[in-house]
Amino acid sequence: MEYASKDIRNILVAGHAGCGKTTLVEALLYLSGATERMGRVEDGTTASDFDPEEAKRKASLNSSVVPVEIGGTKYNLVDVPGLFDFEAAGAEGLAAVESVMICVSGRSGVSVGAEKAYRQAVRQNKARLVFVTKTDLENADYFKILEQMKIRFGPSVCPCVVPARLDDGTVAYINLFSQKAFKYESGKQVQIELPDIGHRFEGLIQAMNEAIAETDETLMEKFFEGEPFTTEEIVAGMAAGVRTGQITPVFCGSAVNLQALDMLLYNLKELLPAPDAAPAVAETADGEPVEIAADPAAPTCAYVFKTVADPFVGKLSFIKVLAGRLTAASNVVNARTGQPERLGKTLTVCGKRQTDTPAIPAGDIGAVAKLPTAKTGDTLCDPARVVSLPAPVYPAACYRMAVKVAKKGDEGKVSGALARLMEEDPSITFTVDPETKQQVIAGLGTQHLEVAVAKLKNKFGVEITLEAPRVPYRESIRKSCKAQGRHKKQTGGHGQFGDVWIQFEPCEGDEIQFEEKVFGGSVPKNFFPAVEKGVRQAAAHGVLAGYPMVGMKATLLDGSYHPVDSSEMAFIMAAKLAYKAAIPEAGPVLLEPIGTLQAHVPADNTGDIMGEVTKRRGRVLGMSPDPEEEGGQVVEAEVPMAEMQDFTTYLRQLTQGRGHFTFRFVRYETLPQMLEAKVIEQAKALGNLSEEDA
C-alpha cells in the first residue's frame, strides 16, 4: 500500500543499551497484526535483530527499519543500537527521520545513551518524544525518572501519561490529556476510575497546561483567564510545541505486557511531524540552501542513508524519498558524482524481510537493490533539480588494531572484503601503515572490531585476527662523528674499490641531508650520487633497533678511488661501511612518536584525565570549555603514541560513555633511556635487526 506523506511518520528509536527499544518496536509490530507472535531479544527472534551476531550477543548492532502500518498510518521505526561501539548507526538513521523517540528504562532511569540521543536530536533539530519502558516492574520509579529528565533534558520535558500502582499491585495509566485512567488485561485497554495520586495530579495538569499555553497566544489568554483547555486544544498545542522543540512529551508503558502502547501510537501520529510538515534542507551545486518539500509531484530527490553489503543479494541501499516518487525506471543522477544511477528493483524492508514494491513515494523509506556507485550519504536527484544533502557525521574511529590474516593466501582478499564492510559501516577505517607496513583497522571500540572480524568471516569468508599495532619508532644521533668506509674486493677480473671519509652529525628536521666537501678530486664527482645512495640505504636501518634514522647530516670529506676497480656499487658499499663504523660512536638514540590528544569529557572528569595523561608520560597543555557539549571540557595534551592503545576503553569506562577524543601525530621526541632496552628487545623479536646489527 502506498501512503501519502501526511500519513507517514519516520521515527528513530534511540536510547541506552538494554532500555527496551527493540522490544518496543517488536510490540508495536505485533499490535499492527504484521506478526502472529511477538519475538524476544533473548531468543534472537525479533524483527529488528536479525543478524546472526545480534542474536548471538542479544543486542542490536546495526540500525534496522521496521514499518508498522496501523489505522491508516505508516510508522517507519528505525531501531538503532544503544551500545556506544555502534553509535554510528544512529548518525545514519537520524538523516532519514523527522522525529526521535528516546527510550528510558523505568528500572535504570536516564542513562548516558538517552542523554546522547536527546542532545543529538536537539543538534539535528528533530522533534523529540520520550517513552519510559518497563513501568509495570515493581522497582520502577516513574516520578524519580521524571525529575532526572527535567535536570538532564531541561524544562521542555512534559509528562502526558503517568503510571499509578493500584491496591492489587497492577499498574494503571493516567492520560493527562483526557484525565482518564486505564488498566490493561492481556494487552486490551479497560477504563477505570481515576486513581488518587495526591497533590501530584494537579501539579502535572498545571505544568502541562503552562507548556501548552506557551505555544499559542490564544491558548495563553485562555490559560490566564483560568479556562480549562479541551482535549483537542491540548493535543493541538502539544503538537505545535513538539514541532518547534519547545515541548518534549513523556509517555510510559510496558512493551513486554503491551500496556499503554495504544496511547503511544495515537500520540506518535498526532504529535510528531509528518514528512510534509518538516521539509529537508539541501544545497544546490553553488552551495545555496534549498528546501525540499515532500511533494509527490516535485522532481525526484532521494537520500541514501544506509548501505548493506550482502554477499548473496549484492549491495542494498536504504533510501528516504524526500520528493517525487522513486521507481526502478526513475531517471536520477548522483549529486556527488554527477553521473546517472541505474536503479535496481525498489523494495519495502521490515527487518530482514524484503518485499518488492512498484514505487517508494515522497516521505517514505524503502530500499533499492544493486545501486552500482551510490554510497551512504549520497543524494539521488532528477537531472532537472540536482541538490545534495549533507552526509552523516560519524564519530572518529580511535581504536586501532593491526590485521593478521589467519590463512595463507587470503592476503589479497582482506582489502576487498574490508572495502565492502566499510561501505556498510563507514565508521570503520582501514589503512596500510607506511612505516610498519601493517594493515591497520580502526573502529569505535573492542566490540566494534570484534563484530567486524565476525562479519568478515561469516559474510565474506575471510578470517583475520587482530593484534596491537606496532609503534613506528625512529632513530637519530646526538653528536658528530667521522669514520672511514673502505670497500676492497679482488676477484678474477676487475676488483671492487671504494674509499670514503664521511662526517655524520645531527641536524634540524626529520630528513637525511647529504653534502660533499671533497677537495682535489680524491673522489670523482660521478661517484657522489653513489655515496649519497649508500648513506640513504644504510640510514633506513638504525643501529639500535633497526628503525629508520632521521635528523642526520652526512658530509663526504675525503676518500680515494682506483681508475679501473672503482664503481658505483663499490662506493655504495663504502658509504654503508662508514655509516656502520660512525653511528655507534655518534650517541645513537631512539625517538618515539608524540601526538596531540584532545579529550572531550564532562567537567567532573577533568582531574582524572589529567592524572591519567601524566601516568601515560604525557604533558597537559591546557583546558577549555567544550563547544559541543554544555558543561563539558576539552583537555589538550601531548602523549606518546605507545601509551594510547587502550585509551578508548579507559575513557569510556571513566566517563560512562560520555567522553570521546581525537589523537593526531605531531612530532618525534627522544625515548626515555629506561625504556630503550624494552623497545630494542621487541625489535629483535620482530626481526628488525639482522644478526650483524644485533
Side-chain angles (χ1 to χ4, degrees):
M1 180 177 169
E2 214 170 282
Y3 288 82
S5 60
K6 68 181 179 60
D7 297 323
I8 296 171
R9 301 292 181 274
N10 298 310
I11 305 163
L12 188 83
V13 185
H16 203 80
C19 69
K21 301 180 297 298
T22 300
T23 304
L24 175 61
V25 170
E26 188 69 18
L28 296 176
L29 190 65
Y30 173 72
L31 280 179
S32 74
T35 55
E36 291 179 7
R37 191 163 165 250
M38 205 169 128
R40 283 163 44 89
V41 171
E42 295 80 7
D43 302 336
T45 54
T46 61
S48 296
D49 293 353
F50 56 86
D51 187 279
E53 277 298 305
E54 292 178 315
K56 177 183 160 188
R57 292 170 185 265
K58 297 177 174 48
S60 300
L61 307 176
N62 310 292
S63 62
S64 57
V65 178
V66 178
V68 172
E69 301 177 54
I70 189 167
T73 302
K74 184 179 186 185
Y75 305 90
N76 286 316
L77 303 177
V78 183
D79 182 17
V80 298
L83 295 167
F84 299 131
D85 274 14
F86 305 94
E87 61 183 287
E92 286 177 351
L94 261 179
V97 300
E98 293 78 39
S99 312
V100 178
M101 175 161 58
I102 299 150
C103 288
V104 173
S105 167
R107 198 160 47 181
S108 50
V110 181
S111 34
V112 181
E115 286 180 39
K116 290 176 95 166
Y118 181 86
R119 286 198 296 267
Q120 195 77 345
V122 171
R123 275 200 291 266
Q124 300 274 343
N125 201 25
K126 305 291 181 184
R128 306 172 294 282
L129 178 145
V130 176
F131 185 73
V132 181
T133 62
K134 309 177 187 180
T135 42
D136 58 337
L137 298 179
E138 275 187 33
N139 53 355
D141 190 341
Y142 175 87
F143 292 102
K144 180 184 173 186
I145 291 166
L146 194 60
E147 288 308 310
Q148 287 178 355
M149 280 193 269
K150 286 178 177 173
I151 293 165
R152 298 189 195 179
F153 297 166
S156 72
V157 169
C158 182
C160 301
V161 172
V162 297
R165 197 166 288 278
L166 304 178
D167 294 338
D168 62 359
T170 59
V171 175
Y173 296 90
I174 302 169
N175 185 327
L176 298 179
F177 293 172
S178 62
Q179 298 185 27
K180 292 176 183 175
F182 307 92
K183 68 176 184 178
Y184 288 82
E185 295 172 358
S186 303
K188 302 293 180 191
Q189 187 189 83
V190 178
Q191 189 173 343
I192 60 169
E193 280 188 29
L194 205 62
D196 183 11
I197 57 171
H199 65 279
R200 276 187 174 140
F201 184 73
E202 289 305 322
L204 290 167
I205 296 293
Q206 180 73 7
M208 183 180 71
N209 287 341
E210 279 181 27
I212 288 163
E214 289 179 13
T215 65
D216 183 86
E217 284 183 20
T218 310
L219 294 176
M220 182 68 84
E221 284 175 23
K222 197 170 179 180
F223 177 73
F224 280 125
E225 286 167 10
E227 287 184 52
F229 295 144
T230 65
T231 304
E232 290 74 19
E233 285 173 332
I234 291 170
V235 172
M238 186 71 68
V242 169
R243 285 163 197 181
T244 58
Q246 285 174 265
I247 298 176
T248 302
V250 180
F251 295 85
C252 63
S254 167
V256 171
N257 295 313
L258 305 177
Q259 295 176 0
L261 301 186
D262 50 351
M263 289 190 271
L264 173 67
L265 271 171
Y266 174 80
N267 287 290
L268 289 179
K269 179 186 176 183
E270 294 298 325
L271 304 185
L272 298 183
D276 62 352
V281 178
E283 276 190 2
T284 64
D286 302 327
E288 293 294 317
V290 56
E291 278 197 353
I292 307 295
D295 179 0
T300 303
C301 180
Y303 180 78
V304 180
F305 69 90
K306 173 182 165 72
T307 305
V308 173
D310 191 303
F312 304 108
V313 180
K315 194 163 75 169
L316 193 66
S317 302
F318 284 75
I319 284 179
K320 159 83 176 290
V321 177
L322 303 166
R325 195 164 171 272
L326 197 69
T327 69
S330 293
N331 175 26
V332 292
V333 297
N334 187 325
R336 175 178 58 86
T337 63
Q339 298 301 310
E341 283 281 355
R342 236 173 84 201
L343 302 180
K345 60 184 177 182
T346 48
L347 307 160
T348 55
V349 178
C350 180
K352 69 176 176 183
R353 196 173 73 241
Q354 300 166 11
T355 312
D356 288 5
T357 184
I360 307 167
D364 208 350
I365 287 173
V368 176
K370 297 177 181 174
L371 276 180
T373 56
K375 62 181 188 179
T376 302
D378 282 356
T379 311
L380 310 179
C381 318
D382 188 302
R385 181 180 67 174
V386 178
V387 294
S388 60
L389 274 86
V393 178
Y394 296 103
C398 293
Y399 185 71
R400 301 170 72 249
M401 291 295 277
V403 170
K404 202 172 178 184
V405 179
K407 291 180 188 171
K408 279 192 174 179
D410 274 4
E411 290 84 0
K413 292 183 190 174
V414 171
S415 53
L418 273 164
R420 293 182 69 186
L421 192 65
M422 281 156 39
E423 268 192 319
E424 191 171 291
D425 185 354
S427 63
I428 289 174
T429 64
F430 176 67
T431 53
V432 176
D433 190 312
E435 308 295 335
T436 63
K437 305 295 184 276
Q438 283 182 305
Q439 294 177 317
V440 176
I441 185 172
L444 304 184
T446 50
Q447 280 190 86
H448 194 198
L449 293 192
E450 281 171 14
V451 170
V453 169
K455 281 186 179 179
L456 284 172
K457 182 181 176 182
N458 300 332
K459 277 192 169 189
F460 307 109
V462 175
E463 264 188 84
I464 62 168
T465 56
L466 300 178
E467 60 185 19
R470 295 202 289 270
V471 177
Y473 291 100
R474 292 276 191 275
E475 296 187 28
S476 192
I477 53 174
R478 284 176 296 190
K479 53 188 183 183
S480 179
C481 186
K482 185 168 78 168
Q484 181 183 21
R486 185 177 174 88
H487 177 68
K488 185 176 181 182
K489 196 171 182 184
Q490 195 61 48
T491 53
H494 284 305
Q496 290 183 36
F497 182 82
D499 177 27
V500 291
W501 278 90
I502 302 176
Q503 175 94 21
F504 295 94
E505 57 192 321
C507 70
E508 291 294 319
D510 293 336
E511 299 298 313
I512 297 294
Q513 296 178 15
F514 179 79
E515 257 187 34
E516 51 77 22
K517 292 184 178 175
V518 177
F519 296 100
S522 54
V523 177
K525 282 185 179 179
N526 57 314
F527 291 128
F528 292 171
V531 176
E532 181 178 355
K533 188 176 180 180
V535 168
R536 292 191 183 279
Q537 283 182 1
H541 299 280
V543 298
L544 289 176
Y547 288 105
M549 181 70 68
V550 294
M552 181 185 78
K553 182 179 178 182
T555 307
L556 176 62
L557 300 175
D558 201 358
S560 60
Y561 75 103
H562 188 280
V564 175
D565 291 348
S566 286
S567 65
E568 282 192 14
M569 184 52 69
F571 275 97
I572 288 173
M573 295 304 295
K576 288 181 177 181
L577 291 169
Y579 172 87
K580 282 185 180 177
I583 299 305
E585 306 302 318
V589 289
L590 278 168
L591 306 179
E592 64 175 340
I594 305 291
T596 299
L597 168 70
Q598 284 197 325
H600 298 248
V601 295
D604 296 347
N605 298 124
T606 51
D608 295 310
I609 286 291
M610 289 177 177
E612 186 67 19
V613 162
T614 306
K615 264 200 269 181
R616 291 171 186 256
R617 301 191 289 114
R619 291 184 296 272
V620 176
L621 302 178
M623 201 169 73
S624 58
D626 191 340
E628 298 171 15
E629 298 291 346
E630 196 177 332
Q633 292 284 325
V634 181
V635 176
E636 193 164 333
E638 286 184 345
V639 190
M641 191 182 285
E643 303 288 343
M644 289 296 293
Q645 181 57 30
D646 64 345
F647 191 76
T648 304
T649 310
Y650 168 79
L651 186 67
R652 185 165 294 166
Q653 288 171 347
L654 174 71
T655 65
Q656 298 179 304
R658 290 182 177 89
H660 64 278
F661 74 97
T662 58
F663 184 76
R664 292 185 179 86
F665 167 77
V666 282
R667 66 177 177 280
Y668 277 89
E669 282 185 7
T670 305
L671 181 75
Q673 202 165 3
M674 59 188 178
L675 299 174
E676 273 193 0
K678 185 182 173 185
V679 173
I680 291 168
E681 279 305 307
Q682 288 172 345
K684 283 180 183 175
L686 290 168
N688 278 17
L689 293 164
S690 65
E691 290 298 318
E692 189 182 339
D693 292 330

